[in-house]
Amino acid sequence: MKPGMHEAKAPKLYLGVHARLVFPDPRDEEAVLDLMRRFSSATRFAYQRLLEGKPREELKRADGPLCALFGLNTRYADGAIAKAKAVLDSALELGNDPKKVVFGGRKLFEQLKRKHLSGKPLEALKRRWKEKRQGLLYTQGDRSKKGGNPHFKLQVEGRALWLLVHLGEEEGQKEGERKKFARALVRTSHPQLNALLERIHSGLAHNAELTLKEGKVYAHFTWSEGLPPPVHTKENGVLGIDVNADPYHLALAVVGKDGNLIRHLTLSLEEVDRAPNKGAKELALWKVAHQVVAVAEEHGVAIATEKLKYLRKSRRGDGSGRAFRHKQHRFAYRSLLEKIHSLARKRGVEVLEVSPQDTSTIGMLKYAPGLSLSKDVAAAYVIGRRALGFEEKLPKGYEALLKDESFLREARSFYEARMAQLQRERKEEKNPYLKRRWSRELRRIQSALASLSSPWGSPGSRKGVTKGRNPSGAHPRRVLRVGLFLPLLGLEVPRDLSPLKPILHGSWEGWKVGSGPSPGGGPVCANVHFC
């Protein structure tokens, strides 16, 4: 490890149990609901103070505003601050304005603003809004305290599990003035219940959160455990994974430690798309995650995926088209990757993440035509090789092509003719949505022409992005992509890349290669389009 760097934290496995709480004494339930209301108000108050820059230590003091205004003790005050900070961090990470966060949910807030309901539907909406705003109570576990959580004590009596909820008074309050704990029966058949019982008997810490839904109180107990050391590592190779929206499937490529392709396959995600509800969709995603991890275990290799923090979100009116927006909105990439990562770590499979930059482009230019692979499997192969630290050099055939002035001239001629045609169509078009589509395509053409004007681009290194891998820079590959795909193959993202095979091996014979439209304008330009 380099000097000055922080030591990496050991990966942990987060588990939880969801349960319904039943209060034998109605007074206990009333006291807990009042505590949840005060805690929820304290969370919103803490959020505003965090926006103002108030420190956590000042807010959670016994004489601080949270304890004084909302009648909470310091542990509950600290829980309210933790919840407020989690909301703030989430807003910042998603790029949202933290000042516009709506506690209770913006969707419910907008529905209430519309004032389009009356009678029972309006009452139900108001109840949901009130429960979201006032139905929260949370406290973190403490290893140093007996039972693991002094404010949410779990006790086993016979065959029943009981929860004692601390009602929030300070330690100095006189005994007998007020009941200190509310008592509730925990009802659950969660598969992790035995693990929770083991923690109770061992006195290990657990976090607890109470929520309110449809007038019922629910509890969620969570804790973390250390993960087993990985057994299947990149020393034996890597399973590269690429998720694709059209067709909706998962592409897998098993890459040996020498960088060669051992096996490739695809797993359909159409079952996920056909799922009738969220629960069925989650089950389908977990099924796919088990299949992926099983392949990694079969070959004894690690799993490698892309680091995709931001996915493009289309909206109505941007010219992308209803069908394309539907494909993107059904795309469960992040959820599927989280499940694969979680399951793999539980099974002792090492998980690697690499930069997504140019993985598809490299795969389509180099490995799809060279090894007769689909573009998706080729991208998965690149991801696997990148995780192993292999460089992707530009093939000599493509190097020669980038130095061919006739290729660059004809490619520029194609885009100039296409630009002139789109400008005419945009000028005559009255539909504002189609105008936006033409404007978007024109911007892409302008970008393509800018790339073709300097085919070798900047020689910039990729060090720091992928830890020194692929230092040759990405500009030449992008020039090849804009110069070959649309002009030669007729699509920005073609499925059939076999016409590139002779070019890859240095047999460039001008624009007669392949069956795609020839560049340079004319009526054939209408046959090509951006995907």
Side-chain angles (χ1 to χ4, degrees), residues 6-161:
H6 295 287
E7 186 177 354
K9 294 182 179 180
K12 293 183 178 180
L13 175 65
Y14 291 90
L15 303 173
V17 171
H18 191 70
R20 163 90 188 281
L21 298 185
V22 179
F23 295 87
D25 188 344
R27 291 174 297 180
D28 283 349
E29 183 175 10
E30 183 180 348
V32 170
L33 290 176
D34 178 67
L35 178 59
M36 294 172 72
R37 177 187 60 79
R38 288 184 282 120
F39 182 91
S40 301
S41 299
T43 302
R44 298 194 296 272
F45 181 89
Y47 183 83
Q48 296 300 327
R49 303 294 80 77
L50 290 176
L51 285 180
E52 295 171 2
K54 297 289 184 181
R56 182 172 188 164
E57 293 72 18
E58 177 183 333
L59 293 174
K60 74 174 185 179
R61 290 201 311 258
D63 59 347
L66 295 181
C67 296
L69 294 175
F70 303 100
L72 303 177
N73 59 24
T74 53
R75 185 172 292 275
Y76 277 136
D78 193 41
I81 298 169
K83 279 295 180 183
K85 190 175 186 308
V87 175
L88 178 59
D89 292 343
S90 176
L92 295 174
E93 184 178 350
L94 294 173
N96 299 330
D97 187 352
K99 295 182 179 180
K100 295 184 179 180
V101 168
V102 177
F103 283 84
R106 180 167 292 279
K107 184 177 180 180
L108 289 178
F109 178 68
E110 295 295 339
Q111 288 178 333
L112 284 170
K113 281 176 57 179
R114 289 171 61 187
K115 299 182 180 181
H116 64 296
L117 297 175
S118 61
K120 291 184 177 180
L122 179 60
E123 291 177 5
L125 184 63
K126 287 183 176 180
R127 188 191 72 243
R128 289 171 57 198
W129 170 254
K130 185 178 180 180
E131 289 178 343
K132 289 281 189 179
R133 294 269 294 182
Q134 301 182 358
L136 178 65
L137 183 62
Y138 171 79
T139 182
Q140 294 176 326
D142 190 342
R143 296 179 182 177
S144 64
K145 302 293 184 179
K146 185 178 179 180
N149 194 321
H151 279 26
F152 285 78
K153 296 182 178 180
L154 288 164
Q155 295 180 347
V156 179
E157 297 180 7
R159 302 182 64 181
L161 180 62

Side-chain angles (χ1 to χ4, degrees), residues 253-307:
V254 181
V255 187
K257 59 182 179 180
D258 57 356
N260 290 325
L261 184 65
I262 297 175
R263 179 190 175 191
H264 63 85
L265 67 154
T266 58
L267 299 176
S268 175
L269 297 177
E270 292 300 330
E271 183 181 351
V272 178
D273 195 34
R274 292 194 298 266
N277 52 57
K278 184 177 180 180
K281 183 175 182 179
E282 287 291 298
L283 288 175
L285 289 171
W286 275 114
K287 180 181 177 181
V288 175
H290 277 273
Q291 291 175 315
V292 172
V293 175
V295 173
E297 290 178 318
E298 178 186 349
H299 293 274
V301 297
I303 287 177
T305 65
E306 293 179 335
K307 274 193 237 178

